Amino acid sequence: MPAGFMHRHLHDDRGTILLVVLTVFLTIAVLSSSFIWFMHQQQTRAGLRYRSAMALALAEAGVHRALSILETVAPDGRSSGRHWRASAHTETMRVGLFEGQFTLSLAADVDGAIVVTSVGQVGGVRRRLRARVYLASPALLAAVYGASIVRLED
């Protein structure tokens, strides 16, 4: 084969080689951008799940706080917790790296139960937890957990 033929043949394929190289670069760019988008979506979902778990933990903390108040004294410190019925009592707490809050509402139900609704909120995510609480009578609590000594005599 003459040398001029090879040179002319390579010269004619330069446009095709450029097109192949640009197609490979375009494919790499598309794959890279889709990978970056996918990783961003995963990070967003993981953050949402984390904040949702923290909001649920705050809602649970709110239910425990309500039970503590019902067994002791109301947050104002003047009245008994047994009769405390809040429509929107809010407290702020730190949960992990975030600061969040829970909001309590207590309402009496027809069967004597107290319905405790606690809403935990962290970073724009809200989780609600509802519990039905039945309080024992003070006389029963004193009999079961009383500090007095009972002596039985013959």
Side-chain angles (χ1 to χ4, degrees):
M1 271 200 217
F5 177 74
M6 278 304 259
H7 180 55
R8 196 170 7 125
H9 184 65
L10 286 175
H11 183 57
D12 292 342
D13 288 342
R14 276 194 235 167
T16 306
I17 293 172
L18 178 64
L19 187 60
V20 168
V21 169
L22 288 177
T23 304
V24 168
F25 282 152
L26 180 66
T27 304
I28 291 172
V30 167
L31 290 174
S32 298
S33 63
S34 66
F35 178 75
I36 290 170
W37 176 82
F38 178 73
M39 287 292 114
H40 182 266
Q41 292 298 316
Q42 289 297 96
Q43 185 176 11
T44 301
R45 288 184 189 128
L48 183 63
R49 282 191 299 269
Y50 181 73
R51 288 190 306 274
S52 179
M54 295 299 109
L56 181 61
L58 271 173
E60 289 178 8
V63 169
H64 287 283
R65 175 72 172 127
L67 294 174
S68 172
I69 290 171
L70 288 171
E71 292 175 353
T72 57
V73 64
D76 62 5
R78 293 178 287 180
S79 60
S80 170
R82 290 176 91 40
H83 306 292
W84 182 66
R85 302 296 179 267
S87 61
H89 174 75
T90 302
E91 291 187 20
T92 303
M93 298 178 71
R94 281 200 73 74
V95 180
L97 300 174
F98 295 101
E99 184 169 304
Q101 64 183 14
F102 61 82
T103 303
L104 293 174
S105 61
L106 285 78
D109 204 5
V110 292
D111 63 348
I114 299 170
V115 179
V116 177
T117 304
S118 177
V119 178
Q121 182 173 357
V122 175
V125 178
R126 297 169 57 112
R127 294 291 302 267
R128 186 179 74 166
L129 194 60
R130 185 169 286 166
R132 295 176 61 80
V133 179
Y134 294 90
L135 295 177
S137 70
L140 176 64
L141 290 176
V144 173
Y145 299 109
S148 61
I149 298 173
V150 176
R151 287 189 218 179
L152 301 175
E153 296 182 353
D154 292 350

